Amino acid sequence: MILGSGSIGFAVAKELRELDKDLIIVDRDKQKVETLREEAYEAFEGDISDPEIFQHINLKELTGILVLSSDNEANKKALGNISQLELDDVYCVARASDAISLQEMDGLGADLVVMPSRLVARSVARSLGRAESLRRGNKLSQWFKGISGKDLAIVVHDNPDPDAIASALALQKIADSFDVRSSILYHGEIGHQENKAFVNLLGIDLNRMEEHDISEFDDIAMVDCAVPAANNMLSPGTHLGIVLDHHPLGEAEIDADFVDIRPNVGASATILTKYLQELNIEIESELATALLYGIRTDTLDFRRNTDSADLSAAAFLYPLADHEILDQLERPSMSIETLDILGEAIINRQVIGSYLLTNVGVVRDRDTLPQAADYLLNLEGVSTSIVFGVSEDRIFLSGRSNDIRVNLGEVLKRAFGDEAAGGHSNAAGAQIPLGVFSDIKDRQTLLRLVNEAVVKKFLNAIGVDETVE
């Protein structure tokens, strides 16, 4: 039963008739009713707010009532009348033109309340998003066609994580489809136990940057990072062919032919999955597994920085992935160093208000720091955890936060500079050159001075008095 046959009601009636549904339409406009009857619809004239209109139908055969007039007050009265009929098995949909009416109709018992303006807006937004995605795919395709037969360096950030590696692997797959030879280059270590297992189980071919002359490549692509010399070994100002990343860029400028940076997306692997779909490139099980794992780890199993695009990409990849390998990746062994760092982090913690900062001393595997930061964030009363340690020439720092008032990435930039720090609002990090501290030979003195400097700079940046307990 459709109450109101305006533009919305009539459009719905046409769709339902194509599905062979039996319809009864009620409208107070005599001319509309006559027109509907001429088109073989069962329709009668009546006020939709009048309870008497239900005498014209067999309620036992009724499966749905659609209250679709443009009059909010009439729709509310109709819902009130419907509630008096006690039709438990009848699905009721109502139309509202504003948010207040939507809430009121929901309270009157409608199973679903729709606002046409919202539906149109969402449809337009989806169409625009689809058009933008097609344009990006076409533009990337044209760029690769321009370097067909040439050599491409795919550079990831230092000490790459699964998201960076999976994204590079996907871009390599795209390059292959355009007859472009490519190598994935990284600097640093793959130290995290899960990351080592990830590379080994999937047989991913990675190359150290120190073993290659970047000038031998015809072009350079960067994935999961965007600025040359910022957490990578490229020289400042290097011209790039492609930049694909999900980290906020800030005020940095990039010299590149093709740039796609989406800070709202939770993982670079999501961006690359979309390109594979747009370019209609077949995704083998190993690549699907890598991309799905990259999305899951960077979004903390969809609990951090997660966008609908991440969920859509994961849903697409899920049936293609090797779930036996995923199970193995989720249960890696913990190294002795990781256990030691966790112990140091707990022992050396300083809690100032809801902020926990801890100096774990000398670190060989910087991937242990984010693990410790994630772990310490679970402590009662802690909203932000900062874990840092010292290597030969710099201070590595990893932070986590569940405080919605804090944008951790921006705080670390204020504290340690745009070139040294960055990240998202609830997960960020920094690599701070030791500078004058590098001349200090006594380890204990070095760690004490580093601790004082890092704690002071962080608290000043976040606006907290160091004496607050």
Side-chain angles (χ1 to χ4, degrees):
M1 186 175 192
I2 297 177
L3 306 184
S5 66
S7 58
I8 302 294
F10 183 61
V12 172
K14 287 176 65 178
E15 289 290 329
L16 291 176
R17 184 156 76 170
E18 289 182 4
L19 295 173
D20 292 325
K21 301 295 182 183
D22 293 326
L23 302 174
I24 296 177
I25 304 174
V26 180
D27 198 282
R28 64 185 176 187
D29 187 323
K30 182 178 180 181
Q31 186 61 47
K32 281 185 180 180
V33 171
E34 290 179 359
T35 301
L36 288 168
R37 287 173 177 170
E38 289 173 359
E39 296 186 22
Y41 285 96
E42 185 178 352
F44 64 87
E45 182 183 349
D47 184 346
I48 68 168
S49 62
D50 184 355
E52 299 296 321
I53 60 172
F54 295 103
Q55 294 179 0
H56 294 266
I57 63 170
N58 183 349
L59 295 179
K60 292 182 179 180
E61 295 182 357
L62 195 63
T63 59
I65 302 177
L66 312 181
V67 188
L68 301 178
S69 86
S70 59
D71 186 336
N72 282 326
E73 294 307 314
N75 290 352
K76 292 174 193 175
K77 289 178 181 177
L79 287 172
N81 295 334
I82 293 168
S83 66
Q84 299 299 316
L85 299 176
E86 298 182 355
L87 303 173
D88 295 334
D89 296 330
V90 175
Y91 191 72
C92 184
V93 179
R95 171 188 175 184
S97 60
D98 56 73
I100 294 176
S101 295
L102 185 149
Q103 292 178 350
E104 290 176 346
M105 292 182 195
D106 186 61
L108 287 168
D111 295 296
L112 172 66
V113 184
V114 296
M115 285 179 59
S117 58
R118 283 187 181 177
L119 296 176
V120 170
R122 288 171 185 165
S123 178
V124 169
R126 283 195 297 269
S127 296
L128 286 174
R130 176 63 178 159
E132 184 179 18
S133 183
L134 285 170
R135 182 180 61 82
R136 284 171 170 166
N138 289 334
K139 189 175 179 181
L140 184 64
S141 175
Q142 290 302 315
W143 187 89
F144 269 111
K145 287 177 181 177
I147 66 164
S148 179
K150 297 184 178 181
D151 294 298
L152 176 68
I154 302 175
V155 178
V156 296
H157 57 70
D158 294 348
N159 311 292
D161 58 10
D163 183 35
I165 297 169
S167 299
L169 201 61
L171 190 61
Q172 189 172 57
K173 177 70 173 179
I174 295 172
D176 288 344
S177 71
F178 287 95
D179 193 29
V180 174
R181 298 179 297 272
S182 62
S183 299
I184 302 172
L185 307 182
Y186 77 100
H187 173 63
E189 301 294 335
I190 300 176
H192 194 300
Q193 296 303 305
E194 291 182 10
N195 297 355
K196 288 179 179 177
F198 175 73
V199 172
N200 292 335
L201 285 171
L202 292 173
I204 300 173
D205 184 20
L206 302 176
N207 303 272
R208 297 189 64 85
M209 288 197 71
E210 297 88 340
E211 299 172 0
H212 290 266
D213 182 353
I214 199 72
S215 64
E216 295 178 355
F217 292 90
D218 297 296
D219 227 316
I220 303 170
M222 291 182 67
V223 291
D224 208 36
C225 55
V227 182
N231 197 21
N232 58 78
M233 281 192 69
L234 294 177
S235 300
T238 299
H239 174 76
L240 305 169
I242 297 174
V243 173
L244 301 171
D245 192 15
H246 74 112
H247 297 98
L249 183 59
E251 298 180 0
E253 295 184 0
I254 303 173
D255 178 18
D257 300 330
F258 182 89
V259 178
D260 186 357
I261 298 177
R262 309 185 203 180
N264 60 302
V265 173
S268 292
T270 295
I271 300 172
L272 269 299
T273 300
K274 296 299 181 183
Y275 277 116
L276 290 167
Q277 290 176 285
E278 287 297 336
L279 298 174
N280 198 28
I281 295 174
E282 184 179 354
I283 304 176
E284 297 90 352
S285 178
E286 292 80 5
L287 179 55
T289 305
L291 289 167
L292 179 56
Y293 189 66
I295 295 170
R296 287 176 56 177
T297 55
D298 241 42
T299 61
L300 204 61
D301 270 335
F302 311 105
R303 298 193 301 272
R304 178 179 70 198
N305 300 325
T306 304
D307 183 79
S308 59
D310 300 302
L311 300 173
S312 174
F316 172 75
L317 294 167
Y318 187 86
L320 305 175
D322 186 326
H323 293 275
E324 288 187 10
I325 291 180
L326 285 173
D327 288 341
Q328 293 180 64
L329 291 172
E330 290 172 352
R331 293 191 297 272
S333 59
M334 180 179 287
S335 69
I336 296 298
E337 182 175 3
T338 300
L339 192 60
D340 289 341
I341 290 296
L342 282 172
E344 290 292 329
I346 294 169
I347 293 170
N348 299 330
R349 69 189 186 279
Q350 306 170 61
V351 179
I352 301 167
S354 63
Y355 304 101
L356 183 151
L357 298 99
T358 182
N359 183 356
V360 298
V362 177
V363 292
R364 292 186 300 276
D365 179 6
R366 56 165 285 191
D367 284 330
T368 59
L369 301 182
Q371 293 179 79
D374 282 327
Y375 180 82
L376 293 173
L377 192 60
N378 294 317
L379 296 181
E380 185 177 358
V382 173
S383 66
T384 302
S385 61
I386 302 294
V387 181
F388 56 96
V390 178
S391 68
E392 291 183 1
D393 60 350
R394 62 189 59 217
I395 304 163
F396 288 110
L397 181 149
S398 183
R400 297 289 186 267
S401 180
N402 55 24
D403 189 339
I404 60 173
R405 301 167 298 176
V406 174
N407 185 319
L408 195 54
E410 293 302 316
V411 169
L412 294 188
K413 285 182 179 180
R414 288 199 301 270
F416 308 110
D418 288 353
E419 293 185 359
H424 294 285
S425 60
N426 53 12
Q431 296 184 33
I432 311 153
L434 276 176
V436 295
F437 293 148
S438 60
D439 294 330
I440 299 173
K441 303 303 180 185
D442 181 68
R443 177 185 171 188
Q444 294 304 318
T445 301
L446 172 63
L447 294 178
R448 177 175 58 80
L449 292 175
V450 165
N451 187 80
E452 292 174 357
V454 170
V455 171
K456 183 176 181 179
K457 283 182 175 291
F458 174 80
L459 293 179
N460 285 342
I462 208 161
V464 172
D465 187 346
E466 190 173 351
T467 61
V468 175
E469 293 291 343

